Amino acid sequence: MNKTHIALAVVLGLSVIAYLFWKDFDAQTFSGLHFGPATWAGIALAVLCFVCQNFGMMWRYRLLTERFLSWGQAFRVNLLCEFTSAVTPSSVGGSSLIFLYLYKEGMNAGKSTAIMIASLFLDELFLCISCLLVVGLCPFHRLFADAAWLTSGVKWVFFLVITLVGLWTALLYVALFHRPGWVKSVLLALFALPLLRRWRESVRRLTDDLVTGSREVSGHTFRFWLKPFAATALAWCCRYAIVNALLLAFSAQGSQAVAYARQWVLWMISIVSPTPGGSGLSEYMFRVYYADFLPDVGTTLVVALMWRIITYYSYLVAGVFVVPRLVRRAK
């Protein structure tokens, strides 16, 4: 709840937006923006996608806790996790503190840890499978646009992230469902090497969590996991669809399917961002990445700002005004 972290995230993101507005400002271009009924309908659709995204996550927490959490508690846990994601680097994310938020809701430590690991596994599994589908179904020249920086270095970063996510997903699968002790031994041996020794204690805690999580979830059937995975897919698909709704709101040109596929690239690249919630990088990438879908620079900047307001700044506002009160009310 450090206010400095919140301020840093806001300043980084809004500074990039302000710079882009200043750099590309053209009064004549911006005068062409009109908010008619179709525009407001698209914005409303984007908000609906945002609501469905959060519903999917809340549904997942309810399923994983076997309905131990009420809908109100699931809302609280989801909000806390999203807020944590907004004020920490994307590589850290909000899932790292799920166990603490669940513990505050009255769940025992072992079960809370298991749900944290299971949630992480489901997210990574969906991203891994869906990224492979996107890469297989969407031509490269359309997926990565015509920007040189997207078709060279960033493309390889994207594939590197997919590879790492795939390896991490496989590791979580083996640790959760098959050989937690083996995974723990291998990781501890690996991080005993001189170059990696400084992280050995953190890895020890992680592997202890994996073993605890395995004991808690290994008894569930394949059928049990289908619903949480469906909830995860619903949440991520709705998150990505927010951009499509905003593009429709501002009379976008081009294929909506390609625009949707590009969300996978944008979000996967933001994982490596060292800034809180990918702030700064996400705004700039959107400006470049979706320029060919909108009629002019001014419209692109407006849509980029609205996209971040819905998907990011809304959680920061909740964190400033709502989350501290929810924490005090938690059991």
Side-chain angles (χ1 to χ4, degrees):
M1 303 305 168
N2 192 318
K3 293 181 179 179
T4 302
H5 294 168
I6 301 172
L8 176 64
V10 172
V11 169
L12 280 172
L14 292 184
S15 294
V16 170
I17 287 288
Y19 169 74
L20 292 174
F21 268 97
W22 171 79
K23 178 175 175 289
D24 298 311
F25 182 78
D26 183 343
Q28 186 174 359
T29 298
F30 283 95
S31 65
L33 283 171
H34 297 289
F35 285 76
T39 303
W40 289 114
I43 294 172
L45 180 60
V47 173
L48 178 61
C49 290
F50 175 74
V51 171
C52 291
Q53 167 206 324
N54 287 277
F55 169 77
M57 286 299 182
M58 291 162 55
W59 181 32
R60 184 176 77 177
Y61 292 132
R62 288 260 295 163
L63 292 170
L64 288 176
T65 62
E66 299 177 78
R67 292 176 173 74
F68 176 88
L69 294 182
S70 66
W71 282 107
Q73 289 174 307
F75 169 80
R76 183 156 56 213
V77 170
N78 179 60
L79 182 57
L80 287 165
C81 289
E82 294 289 356
F83 172 69
T84 305
S85 296
V87 296
T88 57
S90 300
S91 57
V92 178
S95 59
S96 58
L97 289 178
I98 290 176
F99 78 94
L100 176 61
Y101 302 143
L102 290 172
Y103 184 75
K104 283 181 173 290
E105 298 296 340
M107 184 164 286
N108 66 64
K111 188 72 172 178
S112 298
T113 301
I115 292 170
M116 176 188 72
I117 300 296
S119 296
L120 180 60
F121 170 70
L122 290 169
D123 283 332
E124 303 301 323
L125 179 63
F126 171 78
L127 289 174
C128 185
I129 294 173
S130 59
C131 278
L132 292 177
L133 289 173
V134 166
V135 170
L137 295 175
C138 189
F140 278 19
H141 72 280
R142 304 197 71 187
L143 184 61
F144 292 98
D146 296 321
W149 68 282
L150 281 170
T151 55
S152 55
V154 171
K155 179 172 68 175
W156 297 113
V157 172
F158 172 68
F159 284 113
L160 175 61
V161 173
I162 290 179
T163 302
L164 293 175
V165 167
L167 292 173
W168 180 229
T169 303
L171 180 68
L172 287 172
Y173 174 74
V174 174
L176 279 176
F177 302 106
H178 294 287
R179 296 286 187 272
W182 178 82
V183 171
K184 179 176 181 178
S185 300
V186 170
L187 287 178
L188 290 178
L190 178 64
F191 280 83
L193 297 173
L195 290 176
L196 303 176
R197 193 172 295 159
R198 59 182 295 186
W199 295 290
R200 196 165 193 267
E201 190 54 39
S202 296
V203 171
R204 184 187 298 278
R205 290 194 294 269
L206 170 64
T207 53
D208 287 342
D209 287 344
L210 287 173
V211 172
T212 300
S214 178
R215 286 198 299 264
E216 292 284 345
V217 306
S218 58
H220 292 306
T221 64
F222 176 76
R223 185 177 179 181
F224 169 86
W225 292 103
L226 288 178
K227 285 185 178 181
F229 183 76
T232 301
L234 171 66
W236 281 101
C237 288
C238 289
R239 185 194 298 267
Y240 292 158
I242 292 171
V243 163
N244 290 82
L246 291 175
L247 291 177
L248 289 172
F250 290 89
S251 303
Q253 55 204 6
S255 169
Q256 286 291 324
V258 173
Y260 192 54
R262 287 185 184 181
Q263 276 291 285
W264 269 263
V265 178
L266 195 153
W267 281 91
M268 294 302 279
I269 293 298
S270 71
I271 289 177
V272 300
S273 172
T275 60
S279 54
L281 176 64
S282 295
E283 289 84 353
Y284 181 76
M285 278 193 66
F286 189 98
R287 156 69 179 84
V288 177
Y289 207 20
Y290 284 96
D292 56 339
F293 279 89
L294 292 158
D296 51 62
V297 174
T299 305
T300 304
L301 292 175
V302 170
V303 174
L305 179 59
M306 296 190 70
W307 171 64
R308 287 296 273 176
I309 287 173
I310 294 172
T311 63
Y312 181 67
Y313 296 113
S314 59
Y315 292 121
L316 291 179
V317 171
V320 172
F321 296 105
V322 179
V323 170
R325 184 175 60 186
L326 292 179
V327 171
R328 287 194 296 268
R329 288 174 56 190
K331 294 180 181 178

